[in-house]
Amino acid sequence: MTQEAIFSGFGGQGVLTMGMLLGYAGIIEDKEVTWMPSYGPEMRGGTANCITIISDTSISSPIISTFDTLMALNQPSVDKFEEKVKKGGNIIYDSTNIINVPTRKDINIYAVPGSETAVRLKNSKVLNMIMLGSFLKVNPIVKLESIWKALEQVLPERYHHLIPLNQEAFNTGMELIAK
Amino acid sequence: MSKKLMKGNEALAEAMIRAGCDAYFGYPITPQSEVIEYLSREATNRTGMVVLQAESEVAAINMIYGSAASGRRVMTTSSSPGISLMQEGLSYIAAAELPCLVANINRGGPGLGTIQPSQGDYFQATKGGGHGDYHLIVLAPSSVQEMVDYTKLGFELAEKYRCPTMLLADGAIGQMMEKVELFEQMPRKTEFPDWATTGKPKNGDRRIITSLFIQPEKMEQINLGLQRKYREIEKNEVRFQTINTEDAEYIFTGFGLGARICTKAMESGRAKGYKIGVVRPQTLYPFPVEIYNQLSKKVKGILDVEMNAGQMVEDVRLAVRGNTRVEFYGRMGGIIATPDEILEYFEKMFL
């Protein structure tokens, strides 16, 4: 199985971390992984994205033209990448932030009220974890326990007390898809 | 051996430590600043390796010159504008026949340019770069794993031929993360070659490292010696990869990241029934002339794809000697062509 995904949003929303967590979880399961970030001035406030590919077989190119899944956390991401989603693919977007919603009929579209839910959880910074939960529900490409292990690897030890909050956010994101 | 997810730049730095590198001199520049950051954090405690931020790239390369002359295993890294500043030093190091490893994590130029990835420094890397008749051995990694493997290989080749060696990668390979397998820590050298300036031996002659030979007769001999060495390198060290070339009617070619995008385009093309193969030079100098020449006699055309205005394509054209049609597709200034773009261009030009 191969999942070719793009995570896109404003710099600071944690889109690079979403892809990275998924990548670490992939490595834990000995899958092939490429994680290609945008690293320009957009990281300091503009639109940032990362292409993350997880696969059971070797990955030819980390640069791809079309995506299985678009994770969009802001309007420019929908505007720019909606047409790049493969037929039968997915768009998962933060419906709190995005006004002009994706309209394609040949893909699956998931509206997730991510920012609103983050406020409800009393921490706007967990938006990315909520959305990653939704992503994994739609694309069960790695096991949940691998995500938890990846969290421990990615977060420096001084932040490990925040892991339960991140797990809660992640689980909430999964539930938002189930509804 | 355990596999890790690492950024290209960090994998390069880790490989440098593990290869028993004695010293790193450099100056930060995007998109490769992670190298000196990682080394500052990791290197000295683990192996006692020297890690020094020089006052400029000019200083860094001359520190490399000096420490290489003492027989130590040394490396510097930079990105395009910084590598341009190092060209004088590289010419001196080539003339003095000293081994060292230099990584250019290529960004978009010319000028101060952009921090986005590019392959615009192919000419500079493979044709000399500085003044005089010299070459660097040039390796082109296309993955994070090859950043590791070619760091080790680069030191070995540099020392085998006493020839400065370059890793030419683009900013995207430096910034992206992939799975890597690292080799075991190698010990730092305790014995040094007989030409190294390690202090005057008690009964021996003074060892002199220089690139200054005022007498033209002497300078010509030095040049002839260098040329003999380059012929030897061209004979022994050509490395390349071929994919699906056995039944290929068309060849996509490129180096580094460009070659991987070509491979994806080849896969899409094969799914449509086009018989496409891929040739990827792993050494840019020495260039794999023979494989292109062989394939040129049986294929209908070659599409060369680079992240520049067409540089390696000149070497491809020289290699095929007019036997087949060679077309070029490239994006510049930090833009990376996508696989679909490449396939579309192929269909337009060849079908």
Side-chain angles (χ1 to χ4, degrees), chain A residues 4 20 23-24 27 30-37 39-42 44 59-66, chain B residues 3-5 7 30-31 115-117 171-172 175-179 257 260-261 263-264 267 336-340:
Chain A
E4 299 181 329
M20 196 185 288
Y24 275 98
I27 294 288
D30 203 26
K31 292 178 187 296
E32 298 300 320
V33 173
T34 67
W35 175 86
M36 171 71 79
Y39 62 88
E42 60 268 37
R44 287 95 182 170
I59 300 166
S60 52
S61 172
I63 305 282
I64 46 182
S65 310
T66 53
Chain B
K3 289 168 182 169
K4 290 176 82 174
L5 187 64
K7 246 186 179 196
T30 307
I115 60 174
Q116 297 302 320
Q175 292 295 322
M176 74 185 197
M177 294 205 301
E178 284 187 311
K179 187 159 76 175
L257 186 65
R260 291 185 66 182
I261 303 167
T263 305
K264 181 87 179 175
E267 287 167 0
I336 307 176
T338 64
D340 284 4

Side-chain angles (χ1 to χ4, degrees), chain B residues 12 61 75-80 82-84 86-87 90 99-106 121-130 134-141 147 150-151 153-155 157-158 163-169 282-286:
Chain B
L12 165 72
I61 195 67
M75 181 165 187
T76 184
T77 62
S78 188
S79 181
S80 309
I83 295 290
S84 289
M86 292 182 181
Q87 292 305 323
L90 282 170
C100 69
L101 191 55
V102 180
N104 179 0
I105 309 299
N106 200 168
D121 300 351
Y122 177 92
F123 282 150
Q124 183 195 54
T126 59
K127 308 297 176 190
Y134 78 93
H135 278 290
L136 309 173
I137 296 171
V138 184
L139 303 170
M147 291 286 260
Y150 290 4
T151 298
L153 174 66
F155 280 126
L157 291 176
C163 183
T165 297
M166 177 173 278
L167 303 188
L168 183 65
Q282 294 162 311
T283 50
L284 300 180
Y285 181 83

Side-chain angles (χ1 to χ4, degrees), chain A residues 62-110:
Chain A
I63 305 282
I64 46 182
S65 310
T66 53
F67 309 102
D68 295 314
T69 304
L70 161 64
M71 168 61 73
L73 298 195
N74 66 2
Q75 189 67 53
S77 304
V78 172
D79 299 346
K80 190 170 175 192
F81 296 118
E82 180 179 1
E83 59 173 270
K84 303 271 173 76
V85 176
K86 292 179 204 170
K87 213 172 172 181
N90 312 296
I91 295 182
I92 306 166
Y93 70 96
D94 178 9
S95 57
T96 318
N97 267 333
I98 288 161
I99 299 161
N100 299 319
V101 302
T103 54
R104 274 176 61 182
K105 301 286 178 235
D106 58 345
I107 55 174
N108 309 304
I109 296 172
Y110 301 90

Side-chain angles (χ1 to χ4, degrees), chain B residues 241-262:
Chain B
Q241 184 193 13
T242 58
I243 309 168
N244 288 342
T245 50
E246 298 75 19
D247 67 338
E249 294 176 352
Y250 298 95
I251 297 293
F252 288 177
T253 191
F255 64 97
L257 186 65
R260 291 185 66 182
I261 303 167
C262 280

Side-chain angles (χ1 to χ4, degrees), chain B residues 130-193:
Chain B
H131 57 282
D133 278 316
Y134 78 93
H135 278 290
L136 309 173
I137 296 171
V138 184
L139 303 170
S142 71
S143 64
V144 176
Q145 183 65 52
E146 285 185 346
M147 291 286 260
V148 172
D149 299 343
Y150 290 4
T151 298
K152 184 162 175 274
L153 174 66
F155 280 126
E156 288 163 5
L157 291 176
E159 287 163 12
K160 181 175 174 190
Y161 293 99
R162 293 179 61 181
C163 183
T165 297
M166 177 173 278
L167 303 188
L168 183 65
D170 66 80
I173 295 176
Q175 292 295 322
M176 74 185 197
M177 294 205 301
E178 284 187 311
K179 187 159 76 175
V180 285
E181 207 170 319
L182 297 159
F183 53 88
E184 294 297 329
Q185 178 69 49
M186 294 159 64
R188 285 176 53 200
K189 278 190 285 191
T190 49
E191 282 173 27
F192 304 99

Side-chain angles (χ1 to χ4, degrees), chain B residues 272-286:
Chain B
K272 287 174 125 180
Y274 312 142
K275 287 188 175 161
I276 303 169
V278 171
V279 177
R280 173 173 78 93
Q282 294 162 311
T283 50
L284 300 180
Y285 181 83

